[in-house]
Amino acid sequence: MIMNDNFILAPSILAADFSKLGEELHKLDIAGAEYIHIDVMDGLFVPNISVGIPVIASVRKCTERFFDVHLMINEPARYVKRFAEAGADGITVHVEACSDIKGTIEQIKETGAVPSLCVSPDTPVEEVYPYIDDINMVLIMSVYPGYGGQALIERTLDKARKLRDYADKNKPSLNIEMDGGIKLSNTGMVIDSGVNVIVAGTGVFKGDVIANVHEFHKEFDRKRG
Ligand code: DX5
Ligand code: ZN
């Protein structure tokens, strides 16, 4: 396995204090978090509802950082254009939520946003292989989507290893993102499985946000060696 050491931290704002979201984003910005991970839920694909288009458009003013928008909604093709207009830089859709995966990727590309596919814990990672040439990133869920603060499901790391091996042969530049239950304490293990984009909600927002971002970056440096 060849490590993709273009490590990126993507703090999930689901764990932020929404009463001062602008300030929270400002902290991530000055701390140097590369991405801002924004979880969008529709109450149908997942049993929870979070934020949507107006919130993204509003916080777009707070930072120039890459908005990594994770759509946990059914048939996301209906909305990709509006999310891109609101300020999404990357749009990730679940393979389980799309009746036309190829068409959805095409629609994301038409908006100019970066397309990614996501697999939930019980979905085989092989389901993304037919689309690998058309996407920049695969998001492997390490918890069942819907809520922050859950424990990482370790068997999902096998999917990252399998995908990294496949990508080494077929698309070495592929970014592999993992989302759910990642803390400073298990980041090393996640990176060792081939992941280079780390989503962390409670792992970043519990305690001192800026210090936490710096600790994740130090762990990235240790992994680079
Ligand atoms: C879960 C979301 C995650 C979540 C991660 O459906 O996709 O991004 O916010 O939160 P933690 O890091 O707390 O597990
Ligand atoms: Zn997410």
mmCIF file of all heavy atoms in Angstrom, residues 108-140:
data_model
loop_
_atom_site.group_PDB
_atom_site.id
_atom_site.type_symbol
_atom_site.label_atom_id
_atom_site.label_comp_id
_atom_site.label_asym_id
_atom_site.label_seq_id
_atom_site.Cartn_x
_atom_site.Cartn_y
_atom_site.Cartn_z
ATOM 1 N N ILE A 108 -22.851 17.215 -10.631
ATOM 2 C CA ILE A 108 -21.931 17.914 -9.709
ATOM 3 C C ILE A 108 -20.832 18.583 -10.531
ATOM 4 O O ILE A 108 -20.506 19.759 -10.329
ATOM 5 C CB ILE A 108 -21.322 16.933 -8.677
ATOM 6 C CG1 ILE A 108 -22.413 16.335 -7.781
ATOM 7 C CG2 ILE A 108 -20.268 17.653 -7.820
ATOM 8 C CD1 ILE A 108 -21.945 15.209 -6.873
ATOM 9 N N LYS A 109 -20.287 17.826 -11.497
ATOM 10 C CA LYS A 109 -19.199 18.382 -12.319
ATOM 11 C C LYS A 109 -19.654 19.619 -13.077
ATOM 12 O O LYS A 109 -18.903 20.587 -13.208
ATOM 13 C CB LYS A 109 -18.710 17.333 -13.312
ATOM 14 C CG LYS A 109 -17.800 16.288 -12.697
ATOM 15 C CD LYS A 109 -17.298 15.395 -13.795
ATOM 16 C CE LYS A 109 -16.199 14.490 -13.331
ATOM 17 N NZ LYS A 109 -15.870 13.503 -14.369
ATOM 18 N N GLU A 110 -20.877 19.587 -13.573
ATOM 19 C CA GLU A 110 -21.396 20.746 -14.327
ATOM 20 C C GLU A 110 -21.412 22.016 -13.486
ATOM 21 O O GLU A 110 -21.263 23.124 -13.999
ATOM 22 C CB GLU A 110 -22.823 20.471 -14.808
ATOM 23 C CG GLU A 110 -22.865 19.785 -16.157
ATOM 24 C CD GLU A 110 -24.258 19.318 -16.511
ATOM 25 O OE1 GLU A 110 -25.235 19.979 -16.090
ATOM 26 O OE2 GLU A 110 -24.365 18.280 -17.192
ATOM 27 N N THR A 111 -21.577 21.862 -12.178
ATOM 28 C CA THR A 111 -21.608 23.051 -11.304
ATOM 29 C C THR A 111 -20.210 23.597 -11.043
ATOM 30 O O THR A 111 -20.063 24.691 -10.512
ATOM 31 C CB THR A 111 -22.228 22.731 -9.926
ATOM 32 O OG1 THR A 111 -21.314 21.893 -9.185
ATOM 33 C CG2 THR A 111 -23.570 22.058 -10.044
ATOM 34 N N GLY A 112 -19.185 22.778 -11.357
ATOM 35 C CA GLY A 112 -17.814 23.187 -11.069
ATOM 36 C C GLY A 112 -17.327 22.687 -9.716
ATOM 37 O O GLY A 112 -16.158 22.844 -9.365
ATOM 38 N N ALA A 113 -18.208 22.060 -8.928
ATOM 39 C CA ALA A 113 -17.797 21.510 -7.628
ATOM 40 C C ALA A 113 -17.063 20.176 -7.842
ATOM 41 O O ALA A 113 -17.188 19.545 -8.886
ATOM 42 C CB ALA A 113 -19.015 21.308 -6.732
ATOM 43 N N VAL A 114 -16.291 19.804 -6.837
ATOM 44 C CA VAL A 114 -15.506 18.570 -6.897
ATOM 45 C C VAL A 114 -16.395 17.401 -6.447
ATOM 46 O O VAL A 114 -16.939 17.446 -5.342
ATOM 47 C CB VAL A 114 -14.271 18.687 -5.968
ATOM 48 C CG1 VAL A 114 -13.473 17.401 -5.972
ATOM 49 C CG2 VAL A 114 -13.396 19.872 -6.368
ATOM 50 N N PRO A 115 -16.546 16.364 -7.278
ATOM 51 C CA PRO A 115 -17.464 15.273 -6.923
ATOM 52 C C PRO A 115 -16.809 14.140 -6.121
ATOM 53 O O PRO A 115 -15.695 13.725 -6.407
ATOM 54 C CB PRO A 115 -17.904 14.749 -8.294
ATOM 55 C CG PRO A 115 -16.758 15.029 -9.203
ATOM 56 C CD PRO A 115 -15.998 16.209 -8.633
ATOM 57 N N SER A 116 -17.535 13.656 -5.134
ATOM 58 C CA SER A 116 -17.077 12.495 -4.354
ATOM 59 C C SER A 116 -18.253 11.573 -4.087
ATOM 60 O O SER A 116 -19.397 12.025 -4.016
ATOM 61 C CB SER A 116 -16.516 12.926 -3.008
ATOM 62 O OG SER A 116 -15.521 13.889 -3.163
ATOM 63 N N LEU A 117 -17.920 10.286 -3.919
ATOM 64 C CA LEU A 117 -18.945 9.294 -3.569
ATOM 65 C C LEU A 117 -18.691 8.788 -2.161
ATOM 66 O O LEU A 117 -17.537 8.688 -1.722
ATOM 67 C CB LEU A 117 -18.909 8.107 -4.540
ATOM 68 C CG LEU A 117 -19.431 8.339 -5.949
ATOM 69 C CD1 LEU A 117 -19.280 7.053 -6.780
ATOM 70 C CD2 LEU A 117 -20.903 8.790 -5.946
ATOM 71 N N CYS A 118 -19.773 8.426 -1.490
ATOM 72 C CA CYS A 118 -19.686 7.950 -0.106
ATOM 73 C C CYS A 118 -20.354 6.589 0.037
ATOM 74 O O CYS A 118 -21.372 6.318 -0.620
ATOM 75 C CB CYS A 118 -20.390 8.966 0.800
ATOM 76 S SG CYS A 118 -20.381 8.516 2.535
ATOM 77 N N VAL A 119 -19.762 5.749 0.889
ATOM 78 C CA VAL A 119 -20.391 4.462 1.228
ATOM 79 C C VAL A 119 -20.644 4.389 2.734
ATOM 80 O O VAL A 119 -19.766 4.687 3.540
ATOM 81 C CB VAL A 119 -19.539 3.238 0.781
ATOM 82 C CG1 VAL A 119 -19.626 3.030 -0.716
ATOM 83 C CG2 VAL A 119 -18.073 3.361 1.220
ATOM 84 N N SER A 120 -21.849 3.987 3.094
ATOM 85 C CA SER A 120 -22.205 3.747 4.492
ATOM 86 C C SER A 120 -21.536 2.454 4.969
ATOM 87 O O SER A 120 -21.049 1.674 4.147
ATOM 88 C CB SER A 120 -23.732 3.649 4.617
ATOM 89 O OG SER A 120 -24.295 4.931 4.471
ATOM 90 N N PRO A 121 -21.506 2.201 6.284
ATOM 91 C CA PRO A 121 -20.745 1.063 6.806
ATOM 92 C C PRO A 121 -21.090 -0.308 6.193
ATOM 93 O O PRO A 121 -20.206 -1.146 6.045
ATOM 94 C CB PRO A 121 -21.067 1.088 8.304
ATOM 95 C CG PRO A 121 -21.292 2.520 8.596
ATOM 96 C CD PRO A 121 -21.994 3.064 7.380
ATOM 97 N N ASP A 122 -22.344 -0.538 5.822
ATOM 98 C CA ASP A 122 -22.695 -1.865 5.301
ATOM 99 C C ASP A 122 -22.609 -1.965 3.782
ATOM 100 O O ASP A 122 -22.955 -3.005 3.204
ATOM 101 C CB ASP A 122 -24.122 -2.237 5.756
ATOM 102 C CG ASP A 122 -24.186 -2.400 7.260
ATOM 103 O OD1 ASP A 122 -23.135 -2.679 7.881
ATOM 104 O OD2 ASP A 122 -25.288 -2.238 7.828
ATOM 105 N N THR A 123 -22.192 -0.920 3.113
ATOM 106 C CA THR A 123 -22.106 -0.939 1.643
ATOM 107 C C THR A 123 -20.698 -1.327 1.209
ATOM 108 O O THR A 123 -19.725 -0.700 1.653
ATOM 109 C CB THR A 123 -22.451 0.463 1.075
ATOM 110 O OG1 THR A 123 -23.727 0.840 1.563
ATOM 111 C CG2 THR A 123 -22.441 0.465 -0.441
ATOM 112 N N PRO A 124 -20.563 -2.358 0.342
ATOM 113 C CA PRO A 124 -19.222 -2.740 -0.108
ATOM 114 C C PRO A 124 -18.543 -1.590 -0.857
ATOM 115 O O PRO A 124 -19.185 -0.894 -1.648
ATOM 116 C CB PRO A 124 -19.480 -3.914 -1.070
ATOM 117 C CG PRO A 124 -20.864 -4.378 -0.776
ATOM 118 C CD PRO A 124 -21.615 -3.185 -0.259
ATOM 119 N N VAL A 125 -17.257 -1.403 -0.599
ATOM 120 C CA VAL A 125 -16.536 -0.288 -1.215
ATOM 121 C C VAL A 125 -16.406 -0.484 -2.729
ATOM 122 O O VAL A 125 -16.264 0.488 -3.482
ATOM 123 C CB VAL A 125 -15.170 -0.081 -0.524
ATOM 124 C CG1 VAL A 125 -14.170 -1.163 -0.913
ATOM 125 C CG2 VAL A 125 -14.625 1.305 -0.797
ATOM 126 N N GLU A 126 -16.513 -1.726 -3.170
ATOM 127 C CA GLU A 126 -16.419 -2.017 -4.614
ATOM 128 C C GLU A 126 -17.495 -1.271 -5.405
ATOM 129 O O GLU A 126 -17.349 -1.086 -6.613
ATOM 130 C CB GLU A 126 -16.569 -3.527 -4.874
ATOM 131 C CG GLU A 126 -15.388 -4.372 -4.439
ATOM 132 C CD GLU A 126 -15.408 -4.754 -2.957
ATOM 133 O OE1 GLU A 126 -16.244 -4.202 -2.190
ATOM 134 O OE2 GLU A 126 -14.578 -5.591 -2.559
ATOM 135 N N GLU A 127 -18.551 -0.843 -4.735
ATOM 136 C CA GLU A 127 -19.616 -0.132 -5.457
ATOM 137 C C GLU A 127 -19.149 1.195 -6.067
ATOM 138 O O GLU A 127 -19.787 1.716 -6.967
ATOM 139 C CB GLU A 127 -20.830 0.086 -4.539
ATOM 140 C CG GLU A 127 -21.503 -1.236 -4.238
ATOM 141 C CD GLU A 127 -22.931 -1.096 -3.756
ATOM 142 O OE1 GLU A 127 -23.517 -0.011 -3.872
ATOM 143 O OE2 GLU A 127 -23.445 -2.103 -3.253
ATOM 144 N N VAL A 128 -18.039 1.721 -5.584
ATOM 145 C CA VAL A 128 -17.559 2.989 -6.175
ATOM 146 C C VAL A 128 -16.599 2.750 -7.345
ATOM 147 O O VAL A 128 -16.307 3.682 -8.102
ATOM 148 C CB VAL A 128 -16.856 3.915 -5.138
ATOM 149 C CG1 VAL A 128 -17.759 4.180 -3.938
ATOM 150 C CG2 VAL A 128 -15.509 3.361 -4.701
ATOM 151 N N TYR A 129 -16.096 1.512 -7.492
ATOM 152 C CA TYR A 129 -15.051 1.261 -8.495
ATOM 153 C C TYR A 129 -15.445 1.698 -9.911
ATOM 154 O O TYR A 129 -14.615 2.276 -10.623
ATOM 155 C CB TYR A 129 -14.630 -0.221 -8.508
ATOM 156 C CG TYR A 129 -13.863 -0.698 -7.279
ATOM 157 C CD1 TYR A 129 -13.585 0.150 -6.207
ATOM 158 C CD2 TYR A 129 -13.408 -2.015 -7.187
ATOM 159 C CE1 TYR A 129 -12.904 -0.299 -5.083
ATOM 160 C CE2 TYR A 129 -12.709 -2.472 -6.071
ATOM 161 C CZ TYR A 129 -12.468 -1.607 -5.027
ATOM 162 O OH TYR A 129 -11.788 -2.053 -3.923
ATOM 163 N N PRO A 130 -16.681 1.456 -10.354
ATOM 164 C CA PRO A 130 -17.020 1.845 -11.740
ATOM 165 C C PRO A 130 -16.939 3.353 -11.991
ATOM 166 O O PRO A 130 -16.930 3.772 -13.152
ATOM 167 C CB PRO A 130 -18.472 1.362 -11.896
ATOM 168 C CG PRO A 130 -18.687 0.363 -10.820
ATOM 169 C CD PRO A 130 -17.786 0.765 -9.689
ATOM 170 N N TYR A 131 -16.898 4.141 -10.917
ATOM 171 C CA TYR A 131 -16.955 5.608 -11.074
ATOM 172 C C TYR A 131 -15.640 6.288 -10.720
ATOM 173 O O TYR A 131 -15.551 7.522 -10.707
ATOM 174 C CB TYR A 131 -18.077 6.175 -10.177
ATOM 175 C CG TYR A 131 -19.359 5.421 -10.330
ATOM 176 C CD1 TYR A 131 -19.751 4.461 -9.387
ATOM 177 C CD2 TYR A 131 -20.172 5.610 -11.448
ATOM 178 C CE1 TYR A 131 -20.917 3.730 -9.546
ATOM 179 C CE2 TYR A 131 -21.340 4.886 -11.616
ATOM 180 C CZ TYR A 131 -21.702 3.948 -10.655
ATOM 181 O OH TYR A 131 -22.846 3.224 -10.822
ATOM 182 N N ILE A 132 -14.631 5.485 -10.434
ATOM 183 C CA ILE A 132 -13.409 6.022 -9.844
ATOM 184 C C ILE A 132 -12.726 7.083 -10.720
ATOM 185 O O ILE A 132 -12.125 8.031 -10.219
ATOM 186 C CB ILE A 132 -12.461 4.848 -9.489
ATOM 187 C CG1 ILE A 132 -11.566 5.213 -8.325
ATOM 188 C CG2 ILE A 132 -11.645 4.379 -10.645
ATOM 189 C CD1 ILE A 132 -11.887 4.487 -7.087
ATOM 190 N N ASP A 133 -12.843 6.921 -12.056
ATOM 191 C CA ASP A 133 -12.208 7.902 -12.947
ATOM 192 C C ASP A 133 -12.924 9.252 -12.930
ATOM 193 O O ASP A 133 -12.373 10.251 -13.373
ATOM 194 C CB ASP A 133 -12.184 7.374 -14.389
ATOM 195 C CG ASP A 133 -11.163 6.257 -14.535
ATOM 196 O OD1 ASP A 133 -10.190 6.238 -13.745
ATOM 197 O OD2 ASP A 133 -11.353 5.395 -15.410
ATOM 198 N N ASP A 134 -14.158 9.252 -12.458
ATOM 199 C CA ASP A 134 -14.974 10.476 -12.529
ATOM 200 C C ASP A 134 -15.028 11.250 -11.223
ATOM 201 O O ASP A 134 -15.688 12.287 -11.145
ATOM 202 C CB ASP A 134 -16.422 10.105 -12.906
ATOM 203 C CG ASP A 134 -16.482 9.395 -14.224
ATOM 204 O OD1 ASP A 134 -15.837 9.868 -15.160
ATOM 205 O OD2 ASP A 134 -17.155 8.343 -14.300
ATOM 206 N N ILE A 135 -14.382 10.730 -10.185
ATOM 207 C CA ILE A 135 -14.490 11.386 -8.878
ATOM 208 C C ILE A 135 -13.097 11.683 -8.317
ATOM 209 O O ILE A 135 -12.103 11.107 -8.760
ATOM 210 C CB ILE A 135 -15.292 10.530 -7.866
ATOM 211 C CG1 ILE A 135 -14.678 9.117 -7.720
ATOM 212 C CG2 ILE A 135 -16.750 10.449 -8.277
ATOM 213 C CD1 ILE A 135 -15.372 8.238 -6.706
ATOM 214 N N ASN A 136 -13.042 12.593 -7.350
ATOM 215 C CA ASN A 136 -11.756 12.973 -6.742
ATOM 216 C C ASN A 136 -11.536 12.308 -5.401
ATOM 217 O O ASN A 136 -10.414 12.231 -4.924
ATOM 218 C CB ASN A 136 -11.710 14.490 -6.521
ATOM 219 C CG ASN A 136 -11.657 15.227 -7.820
ATOM 220 O OD1 ASN A 136 -12.563 15.086 -8.640
ATOM 221 N ND2 ASN A 136 -10.600 15.973 -8.038
ATOM 222 N N MET A 137 -12.637 11.868 -4.798
ATOM 223 C CA MET A 137 -12.521 11.385 -3.423
ATOM 224 C C MET A 137 -13.607 10.350 -3.161
ATOM 225 O O MET A 137 -14.686 10.403 -3.760
ATOM 226 C CB MET A 137 -12.687 12.581 -2.474
ATOM 227 C CG MET A 137 -12.468 12.286 -1.016
ATOM 228 S SD MET A 137 -12.394 13.803 -0.030
ATOM 229 C CE MET A 137 -14.141 14.147 0.192
ATOM 230 N N VAL A 138 -13.283 9.412 -2.269
ATOM 231 C CA VAL A 138 -14.296 8.483 -1.758
ATOM 232 C C VAL A 138 -14.361 8.684 -0.250
ATOM 233 O O VAL A 138 -13.328 8.700 0.427
ATOM 234 C CB VAL A 138 -13.949 7.016 -2.080
ATOM 235 C CG1 VAL A 138 -14.938 6.067 -1.412
ATOM 236 C CG2 VAL A 138 -13.942 6.784 -3.593
ATOM 237 N N LEU A 139 -15.568 8.851 0.244
ATOM 238 C CA LEU A 139 -15.789 8.979 1.691
ATOM 239 C C LEU A 139 -16.300 7.641 2.220
ATOM 240 O O LEU A 139 -17.331 7.134 1.769
ATOM 241 C CB LEU A 139 -16.809 10.096 1.961
ATOM 242 C CG LEU A 139 -17.387 10.211 3.379
ATOM 243 C CD1 LEU A 139 -16.302 10.293 4.440
ATOM 244 C CD2 LEU A 139 -18.298 11.424 3.478
ATOM 245 N N ILE A 140 -15.535 7.080 3.143
ATOM 246 C CA ILE A 140 -15.938 5.823 3.786
ATOM 247 C C ILE A 140 -16.481 6.174 5.167
ATOM 248 O O ILE A 140 -15.758 6.704 6.014
ATOM 249 C CB ILE A 140 -14.731 4.860 3.887
ATOM 250 C CG1 ILE A 140 -14.277 4.479 2.469
ATOM 251 C CG2 ILE A 140 -15.096 3.620 4.694
ATOM 252 C CD1 ILE A 140 -13.046 3.607 2.426
#
